Amino acid sequence: MDTINLSLIVMLSLLTALILLMRWYRQYRLHHYEVPVYDFHRGHRFFMVDMFATPTYCNIDHTHIIHGAQCDSCGICVNDHRMIEANKRILCKIPSTKSAQLLHHWVQGNLPLCSKCAVCGEECGTRPELADLRCCWCCRTVHDLCAARLSVCDMGRFRRLIVPPNCIELTWKGLKGTRQRHLVVKKVKHPNIEDWTPLIVISNAKSGNNDGELLLRHFRSILNTPQVIDVHEIPPESGLEWCHLLPDVSFYVLVCGGDGTIGWVLNAIENLNLKNPPKVCILPLGTGNDLSRVLGWGEGYAGDVDVTDILDNVLNAHPVDLDRWTVNIRHTKHFGFARPKKEVVMNNYASLGVDALVTLNFHKRRQNWPRIFANRIINKLTYFTYGTKDVLERECKNLHLKLKVELDGRVVDLPEIEGLVVLNISSWGGGCRPWFMGKEDTFLPARYDDGLLEVMALYSSFHIAQLQVGLASPIRLGQASRVKIKLMGGNAPMQVDGEPWEQHPGEITITHRGQAAMMALD
């Protein structure tokens, strides 16, 4: 008996130690991520080009090429069969150097159209051959004979956003000779650059119709490559590790994606509990992009993007605060049992009923056919189709009989409705501004930083269509800092920031969570 008790005590002790170890490891991972660095010793980051848009010459044999390979870091172009030779003969833009001064990294030929020499001011790169030079750090162009008059590179017009390679120290992680061995940023020091606010770019290479991959290439050509993070391969926390390496520096984070990607990054910033959180800028790629519209970053980009214009916008933007909200869901018990509690973070808006139904139907179809729904036009057509379908079917009729709504403890009388929307920002449904439509009320203007939510109701899908074209007014129910919704007598579709699900009966409480540091354009 004593032996059994002793064995039980040992097992319980080991189990307790294992649980404590797992908790410690989760806490460790929460604060210990690594900024990955492409192993530049292996050569260039080539991607294949089916057809070059401008006259292009091979950087190895100097012949004119119509298709071939291009490095997304330094920009050299070569024939398909010359990539291995190029890796041996031509040095790529390196992310780290021990040099005290940063020299120009000249790449020969294939200059942008209408290039001018930074020394003499005359046009360069106009000859039909591989001629003249471009620095892949400062992006200056010069004639071959003028290059000797420029030596030290000042990183160009976007120096405030770039982490210079002579400020970065790298280290190897993992066992030598294994696939797990990789380069990471070990230390970073301050450069001698006035108002230095380095930029972290976060995008998904698989997002949209290949738009994410194109953006990653463009940003690598201007910034230092470790500043550009592909969240398809690594989590956003790895990119945010820059903020741990330089806790006294104010970083910018440019999120390339839709509202869902922005929410993902904002959650990562909050979870890391950074001493100096970065300010978030937006390059919209999704379908709705309501937060991007409100903050002045536009309704969405498609196709080729002029990255220099985006970087100019980052430098010209101003800081703002964005309210964030916690959506707590407690399900009603059935036969003494209840579904698990659910907590969701809201940045834009939440809805129940007909508005969420369209999102839910679209979400189900996109999960079945993800490749088809990578195109923004197809997405919008699908949304329109589901909205038109519900005008006839009215799946959410009599929603008001299932809901009890409290705004700051005050119960609201509901008319005959099919949808309920709780807004944090003024834009909804891909650009509609419902709170500013129709007759003036006694309510305050909708803001994203005032700690108040705007609550409105919808008569039907047809009412949504009327709002989208400005032919109707919303049913304004009020503003509140705390919203409680009780769903009774059946399920209803619900969504928060574009993430839909079938909501079971229960109590939904929305409370203020805090604020996120954002950047906005006028």
Side-chain angles (χ1 to χ4, degrees):
M1 186 65 69
D2 293 339
T3 304
I4 295 175
N5 291 336
L6 182 61
S7 300
L8 184 61
I9 292 172
V10 171
M11 290 179 63
L12 289 174
S13 300
L14 289 174
L15 183 60
T16 303
L18 181 61
I19 293 173
L20 292 173
L21 182 62
M22 291 176 65
R23 287 180 179 176
W24 172 85
Y25 181 73
R26 282 197 293 266
Q27 291 295 322
Y28 174 83
R29 289 302 303 162
L30 191 62
H31 299 286
H32 291 81
Y33 290 88
E34 298 168 341
V35 180
V37 180
Y38 174 75
D39 186 3
F40 57 92
H41 302 97
R42 295 188 297 174
H44 298 268
R45 298 177 61 112
F46 282 118
F47 65 93
M48 304 309 297
V49 180
D50 294 331
M51 180 176 290
F52 290 103
T54 57
T56 305
Y57 300 87
C58 177
N59 281 90
I60 295 296
D61 56 27
H62 296 197
T63 59
H64 179 261
I65 54 177
I66 297 176
H67 60 84
Q70 183 176 359
C71 176
D72 68 3
S73 298
C74 67
I76 68 165
C77 303
V78 296
N79 271 308
D80 302 358
H81 59 284
R82 295 287 192 178
M83 288 188 287
I84 296 176
E85 188 177 352
N87 287 335
K88 296 177 181 178
R89 290 177 50 183
I90 303 176
L91 181 67
C92 189
K93 182 169 73 171
I94 57 176
S96 174
T97 178
K98 295 181 180 180
S99 174
Q101 288 186 322
L102 181 64
L103 304 179
H104 289 281
H105 185 121
W106 298 115
V107 175
Q108 188 177 26
N110 302 318
L111 273 59
L113 296 175
C114 304
S115 295
K116 289 193 175 183
C117 179
V119 175
C120 66
E122 299 293 328
E123 286 191 2
C124 56
T126 56
R127 289 180 288 171
E129 59 180 337
L130 193 74
D132 301 331
L133 304 166
R134 173 185 56 84
C135 176
C136 56
W137 283 116
C138 66
C139 299
R140 289 187 176 91
T141 54
V142 296
H143 294 109
D144 292 318
L145 297 177
C146 295
R149 297 172 61 182
L150 292 177
S151 56
V152 178
C153 180
D154 65 356
M155 309 300 290
R157 58 189 280 205
F158 299 117
R159 65 179 69 90
R160 285 176 51 194
L161 303 176
I162 302 174
V163 182
N166 58 353
C167 294
I168 297 177
E169 181 181 344
L170 305 180
T171 186
W172 286 98
K173 286 294 181 74
L175 296 175
K176 189 174 183 180
T178 64
R179 291 186 178 182
Q180 288 73 28
R181 188 168 172 81
H182 58 283
L183 275 174
V184 298
V185 177
K186 181 181 179 181
K187 293 180 181 179
V188 187
K189 63 181 181 180
H190 291 253
N192 187 21
I193 298 176
E194 188 177 356
D195 297 327
W196 187 54
T197 50
L199 176 67
I200 306 165
V201 176
I202 295 178
S203 181
N204 187 340
K206 302 299 181 181
S207 66
N209 191 17
N210 205 33
D211 294 333
E213 178 61 33
L214 289 173
L215 283 171
L216 290 169
R217 293 171 186 170
H218 288 318
F219 282 114
R220 289 191 194 106
S221 68
I222 296 179
L223 305 174
N224 203 338
T225 52
Q227 295 177 248
V228 184
I229 304 298
D230 179 7
V231 291
H232 180 69
E233 298 179 352
I234 56 176
E237 287 86 352
S238 293
L240 297 171
E241 182 63 18
W242 283 106
C243 302
H244 275 143
L245 293 169
L246 289 170
D248 58 334
V249 173
S250 295
F251 278 85
Y252 292 143
V253 171
L254 178 63
V255 182
C256 308
D259 292 333
T261 307
I262 297 167
W264 184 16
V265 174
L266 290 179
N267 288 340
I269 293 173
E270 179 183 313
N271 292 336
L272 289 173
N273 195 24
L274 299 170
K275 177 182 177 182
N276 189 7
K279 296 179 177 63
V280 178
C281 312
I282 303 172
L283 199 164
L285 296 180
T287 304
N289 300 316
D290 287 292
L291 182 57
S292 173
R293 297 168 192 263
V294 169
L295 297 180
W297 293 99
E299 63 182 32
Y301 292 87
D304 204 10
V305 178
D306 189 343
V307 169
T308 58
D309 289 342
I310 301 300
L311 296 178
D312 281 329
N313 287 339
V314 171
L315 291 173
N316 294 328
H318 59 90
V320 295
D321 293 322
L322 172 70
D323 286 329
R324 305 187 78 215
W325 302 82
T326 301
V327 181
N328 279 304
I329 301 173
R330 299 179 61 184
H331 295 95
T332 302
K333 289 185 178 181
H334 291 284
F335 304 105
F337 297 95
R339 294 174 180 270
K341 297 178 183 178
K342 185 173 184 177
E343 181 178 298
V344 185
V345 180
M346 184 184 84
N347 301 307
N348 298 353
Y349 46 79
S351 65
L352 275 158
V354 63
D355 174 53
L357 177 63
V358 177
T359 306
L360 181 60
N361 288 333
F362 173 80
H363 178 72
K364 290 178 179 178
R365 187 56 59 92
R366 183 169 59 179
Q367 283 185 320
N368 295 332
W369 304 93
R371 294 187 178 181
I372 295 177
F373 294 95
N375 186 282
R376 291 176 64 200
I377 296 177
I378 292 177
N379 291 350
K380 290 184 177 182
L381 285 174
T382 306
Y383 262 101
F384 175 77
T385 301
Y386 281 124
T388 306
K389 175 174 171 284
D390 191 70
V391 170
L392 302 175
E393 297 181 355
R394 298 189 63 193
E395 292 185 34
C396 297
K397 63 181 178 180
N398 297 325
L399 180 67
H400 60 289
L401 301 178
K402 300 180 182 180
L403 296 182
K404 178 183 177 182
V405 180
E406 293 183 19
L407 304 183
D408 287 335
R410 177 178 59 88
V411 178
V412 178
D413 293 328
L414 297 177
E416 188 174 337
I417 62 172
E418 296 183 15
L420 182 74
V421 182
V422 181
L423 298 164
N424 178 45
I425 60 177
S426 58
S427 181
W428 161 79
C432 179
R433 304 286 181 114
W435 205 253
F436 300 108
M437 299 169 64
K439 64 179 182 179
E440 294 186 4
D441 288 307
T442 57
F443 300 118
L444 296 171
R447 294 179 59 90
Y448 50 77
D449 59 355
D450 59 356
L452 289 176
L453 294 167
E454 286 71 44
V455 184
M456 68 177 193
L458 303 167
Y459 287 121
S460 62
S461 291
F462 186 65
H463 187 200
I464 294 177
Q466 289 178 308
L467 288 170
Q468 293 284 352
V469 295
L471 295 179
S473 301
I475 308 169
R476 298 179 179 86
L477 299 179
Q479 295 171 300
S481 58
R482 178 184 175 89
V483 176
K484 182 185 290 186
I485 304 167
K486 190 172 183 179
L487 177 61
M488 306 164 289
N491 299 344
M494 182 174 179
Q495 66 92 18
V496 174
D497 290 350
E499 295 298 324
W501 66 87
E502 191 74 23
Q503 179 58 47
H504 297 272
E507 189 175 86
I508 304 157
T509 307
I510 306 177
T511 55
H512 196 257
R513 185 183 187 92
Q515 290 186 321
M518 308 290 292
M519 298 295 287
L521 288 171
D522 293 328

